[in-house]
Each structure stands twice: as structure tokens, then as C-alpha cells.
Amino acid sequence: TAPLQEALKLRRVAAMALLLARTDALPPATPASLVATLDCEGRTALETALRLDDLESSATLLEAGAAVDAMAGGGDETLLHLVAACDSERSAVELAASRQKVELLLRYGASVNAQNGRGEFLSTSHSSGLHRPSFRSAPRRTFHTADTPDMQR
């Protein structure tokens, strides 16, 4: 079993932190070996936390030594590819969560030049719906007095 992933799925962040802090209770486990343990779907605890939109646990796992450039469960894409995937069906809330996850991975050193399992870079994998992360603000609309007749000058 993968104890960190089970704690994450049950939303037991305190249990996950305790497991990382008390590896002496789980010999021969170390924090590094726990964060590298794969669940039955081939996912690390970091991937599980990212899929659950759990930024706090994701940061805790990265601090504990989780591999920021690890391949996602299927081995076909990096974690950065996974969280940066664009989907026209996503809501604004989902896109904001995705942006936060991208920023977290980049802050911990994820490589924007990493290749997915097909040898594609993040910026060239448009065929799979992935796009280079961009954090520019939406263009601001300029209002002119002609646009707003009821406003006082």
C-alpha cells in the first residue's frame, strides 16, 4: 500500500505530515522513500495531491523531497505537463487551480524544458491539448466616454 496517498485521498493532511515526520515508526521508510512510493495506479503522493488540488500537501511533499520533474502515473507526461493541460471544458475555478499548481511546481524547480513520454516539450505538445503556461493578465478593457453615456465627466 501507499500510506501517503491513502492519507491524501481521505483528506488527512495531519496524518500525512505525521507519516513524514515519524518515519522511524515505519522502518525502513525514510521521507524520501515514502514520497517516492507508487500507489496501485503508479502515482506518487505528489501526483495524488496535485490531482486532488491539494496545494498545501503538494508543497509539504515537495519540501520532503518529492521529485518535481517525475513522470505522472502513466509515464507519458511530467507533472508539469499534467497540471498545465488545457481543456476547453474546464471552468474558471479549475483553470485557476491549474495555474496555482503550475506556479507551485515552477517555484520548486520544475523544468519547462522537460519532455513528456512522446519526446515533446511543453511548448510543442499542442496536439495533446497542452500549452506553455502563460501568466499574463487578461487584457484590460479601456472605457471611453462614448461607451458609458450615463457616466458623468
Side-chain angles (χ1 to χ4, degrees), residues 103-152:
E103 290 172 346
L104 177 70
L105 291 174
L106 291 175
R107 195 167 45 247
Y108 279 87
S111 173
V112 294
N113 296 316
Q115 295 178 342
N116 65 15
R118 295 175 301 281
E120 299 170 322
F121 294 95
L122 190 61
S123 61
T124 60
S125 54
H126 296 284
S127 61
S128 61
L130 303 175
H131 303 281
R132 182 175 207 92
S134 175
F135 303 114
R136 289 186 215 143
S137 300
R140 294 180 187 240
R141 182 165 176 201
T142 305
F143 291 94
H144 301 283
T145 55
D147 294 340
T148 53
D150 57 324
M151 293 185 67
Q152 302 264 340

Side-chain angles (χ1 to χ4, degrees), residues 21-27 29:
R22 296 290 320 266
T23 54
D24 57 324
L26 299 167

Side-chain angles (χ1 to χ4, degrees), residues 56-109:
E56 180 183 349
S57 295
S58 297
T60 299
L61 291 163
L62 287 162
E63 285 292 324
V68 71
D69 282 325
M71 296 301 276
D76 199 33
E77 55 193 4
T78 67
L79 294 174
L80 188 58
H81 281 89
L82 175 73
V83 301
C86 293
D87 181 350
S88 61
E89 300 295 317
R90 285 181 148 182
S91 70
V93 171
E94 291 169 322
L95 290 172
S98 183
R99 177 181 171 172
Q100 289 176 322
K101 291 183 280 188
V102 166
E103 290 172 346
L104 177 70
L105 291 174
L106 291 175
R107 195 167 45 247
Y108 279 87

